[in-house]
Amino acid sequence: MKRGTLCVQGGWQPKNGEPRVVPIYQSTTFKYESSDEMGRLFDLEASGYFYTRLQNPTNDTVAAKIAALEGGVAALLTASGQTASFYAILNLCSAGDHVVCASEIYGGTFNLFAVTMKRMQIDFTFVNQDAPEEEIDRAFRPNTKAVFGETIANPACAVLDIEKFARIAHRHGVPLIVDNTFATPINCRPFEWGADIVIHSTTKYMDGHATSVGGAIVDSGRFDWEAHAEKFPGLTTPDASYHGIVYTQRFGSAAYITKAVVQLMRDLGAIPAPMNAFLLNLGLETLHLRVPRHCANALSVAEYLSQHPKVAWVHYPGLKGDKYYAAAQKYLPNGSCGVLTLGLKGGREQAIRFMDALRMVAIVTHVADARSSVLHPASHTHRQLTDEQLKAAGVAPDLIRFSVGIEDIEDILADVEQALEHA
Ligand SMILES: *Cc1c(COP(=O)(O)O)cnc(C)c1O
């Protein structure tokens, strides 16, 4: 099936007489005929549901759709995008381990990595993603276990050279994890460029209507953990908490995602409610229709702003002349995303005045839903970062993040025009 068909029908194939629409299994627990049958589930000898903290049929149906869209072997839904990033790393790293990460990433992910996970003694080295390979090579250590970056960075709108990052990661015997939230699998499938694990904040375009916080981890099934067994003992040596099973031996190409479910979900339990998975699925059913409209509207807004005398600068990977235009043509030929950034002449002060003057476009702490919105990261999402960290994350103090929605473009441009008159 092609991507549009997968959006509509992927994951749920009802049998004779079953509901056409994926049901919400609002049940914490599942019934078995015998004690032995249930026991086999706990030993991972049989597959089946027993407790929704680990797995739920509604969630798994939606995860299967996302796995199919990304071209992976399996996926796992998490309670948030933050959890997806956290589990994706924690599934490979213990205290004393190290990760190489692009510096231009989402502010929340940066805090998670640089502050909270550092307290767990998992260390991150942040690299300039546009640096030459030899420079990024120097960030690696013997205890490095993964490389992390965003297809399109939030909010810097930097496009990751995924092939380059995959080459570097594989040269050092570790997987590349890519946050594909902004591009979505409609515009880019990182596995086709060598990434090994993909994560999503499904809160954004996938849900698309700003109803449900959620995340996903997708496993390509292609990384050869056994070939680098000494780096990944959690996958390649016996797990005492399951009578000594070895994930790579028992689960083959699904070793990574299975371990995330049966260890991390079992122990930490950040699983979305089945109701939220159902709402996410409704969003996914129109992802292939909404994403192109977001991109077309964003390109129109970017072109309009780039001509406006009060605008100092605009970044949008789809805009000719943008620093990332060539990278976007390669990795995102059908469109990048609906998010762009801009700065006004007069800086921070004018940014606030412009935003306050908008009428239809709202100030919200969100991006990538149907409604157009703006945010000033330096005073909102990235408030905790120092000026130096802001710079490293590609966030100028005057930067306005504009998430262009799927309204009629004439109305969006009219609102921008009148607000610019006030600036
Ligand atoms: C929002 C976002 C996250 C975090 O996701 P939540 O669902 O808010 O936890 C991670 N990565 C990117 C690129 C995001 O935009």
Side-chain angles (χ1 to χ4, degrees):
M1 289 192 277
K2 300 217 185 303
R3 273 173 261 194
T5 312
L6 288 172
C7 282
V8 182
Q9 300 224 12
W12 176 245
Q13 279 90 38
K15 298 186 201 72
N16 196 33
E18 286 186 344
R20 186 70 186 99
V21 177
V22 57
I24 304 169
Y25 287 88
Q26 192 68 44
S27 180
T28 59
T29 192
F30 302 83
K31 185 207 129 174
Y32 289 91
E33 299 293 338
S34 72
S35 169
D36 184 55
E37 270 178 278
M38 186 125 102
R40 285 164 53 78
L41 298 178
F42 277 92
D43 281 348
L44 305 181
E45 277 169 7
S47 66
Y49 298 96
F50 51 96
Y51 193 51
T52 288
R53 169 153 43 75
L54 284 87
Q55 277 184 300
N56 174 280
T58 309
N59 294 9
D60 282 359
T61 299
V62 182
K65 175 179 283 190
I66 294 172
L69 279 167
E70 287 287 6
V73 291
L76 160 66
L77 295 192
T78 56
S80 67
Q82 288 297 95
T83 306
S85 304
F86 180 49
Y87 282 15
I89 303 281
L90 199 60
N91 207 28
L92 299 173
C93 293
S94 306
D97 286 339
H98 173 256
V99 177
V100 173
C101 183
S103 61
E104 300 203 358
I105 53 167
Y106 174 63
T109 311
F110 183 83
N111 267 326
L112 169 67
F113 290 173
V115 181
T116 298
M117 291 188 80
K118 192 173 171 57
R119 285 212 310 261
M120 305 167 80
Q121 291 173 10
I122 297 171
D123 251 331
F124 290 75
T125 299
F126 296 94
V127 297
N128 171 2
Q129 64 186 46
D130 300 323
E133 290 193 35
E134 312 79 68
E135 191 180 321
I136 298 173
D137 274 334
R138 285 199 286 277
F140 284 77
R141 305 176 191 166
N143 57 343
T144 303
K145 298 298 168 73
V147 177
F148 189 99
E150 291 177 9
T151 311
I152 306 173
N154 174 10
C157 286
V159 176
L160 187 73
D161 187 343
I162 303 173
E163 272 190 322
K164 176 178 87 171
F165 264 68
R167 200 161 51 232
I168 296 170
H170 296 160
R171 183 152 68 230
H172 294 273
V174 302
L176 172 62
I177 304 171
V178 171
D179 180 337
N180 198 34
T181 297
F182 268 22
T184 84
I186 300 302
N187 282 344
C188 178
R189 295 204 282 196
F191 294 154
E192 292 172 357
W193 301 99
D196 303 286
I197 311 290
V198 157
I199 68 117
H200 280 279
S201 166
T202 62
T203 317
K204 314 295 164 54
Y205 291 114
M206 283 190 168
D207 169 299
H209 302 77
T211 70
S212 316
V213 171
I217 306 174
V218 192
D219 186 353
S220 71
R222 286 207 304 254
F223 192 83
D224 190 350
W225 309 106
E226 292 278 2
H228 308 282
E230 76 294 346
K231 281 189 196 293
F232 305 106
L235 284 151
T236 58
T237 62
D239 179 353
S241 72
Y242 285 109
H243 300 310
I245 64 155
V246 175
Y247 292 100
T248 47
Q249 286 170 14
R250 180 72 70 83
F251 301 104
S253 66
Y256 173 88
I257 207 80
T258 306
K259 177 173 176 287
V261 172
V262 303
Q263 273 187 351
L264 298 180
M265 275 304 177
R266 178 196 62 186
D267 296 349
L268 300 169
I271 197 155
M275 178 73 197
N276 278 16
F278 176 86
L279 290 170
L280 167 58
N281 189 53
L282 285 185
L284 287 168
E285 288 184 3
T286 57
L287 185 68
H288 60 305
L289 301 178
R290 292 182 287 106
V291 165
R293 175 68 170 254
H294 279 288
C295 295
N297 279 357
L299 183 58
S300 297
V301 173
E303 282 169 349
Y304 173 83
L305 290 169
S306 68
Q307 306 292 325
H308 199 284
K310 288 190 178 175
V311 174
W313 56 268
V314 185
H315 286 318
Y316 182 64
L319 190 65
K320 277 205 185 82
D322 189 81
K323 185 179 171 196
Y324 293 101
Y325 184 73
Q329 291 300 107
K330 174 175 174 178
Y331 291 107
L332 305 148
N334 299 322
S336 49
C337 64
V339 180
L340 58 90
T341 59
L342 69 138
L344 298 182
K345 290 175 185 159
R348 206 184 252 256
E349 221 166 274
Q350 289 299 330
I352 305 285
R353 206 182 282 188
F354 164 71
M355 287 172 51
D356 287 350
L358 289 164
R359 293 186 191 136
M360 180 190 75
V361 179
I363 302 171
V364 298
T365 306
H366 198 243
V367 285
D369 77 77
R371 286 157 288 260
S372 290
S373 61
V374 289
L375 181 92
H376 184 230
S379 31
H380 305 137
T381 45
H382 289 60
R383 233 189 144 81
Q384 315 303 336
L385 303 196
T386 64
D387 275 4
E388 202 150 272
Q389 287 171 332
L390 275 179
K391 225 179 110 203
V395 181
D398 65 338
L399 182 150
I400 299 169
R401 184 179 71 184
F402 197 141
S403 175
V404 183
I406 56 174
E407 303 93 342
D408 279 304
I409 187 63
E410 292 80 3
D411 291 324
I412 301 171
L413 290 176
D415 197 20
V416 171
E417 187 174 2
Q418 68 79 23
L420 280 170
E421 275 163 25
H422 286 82

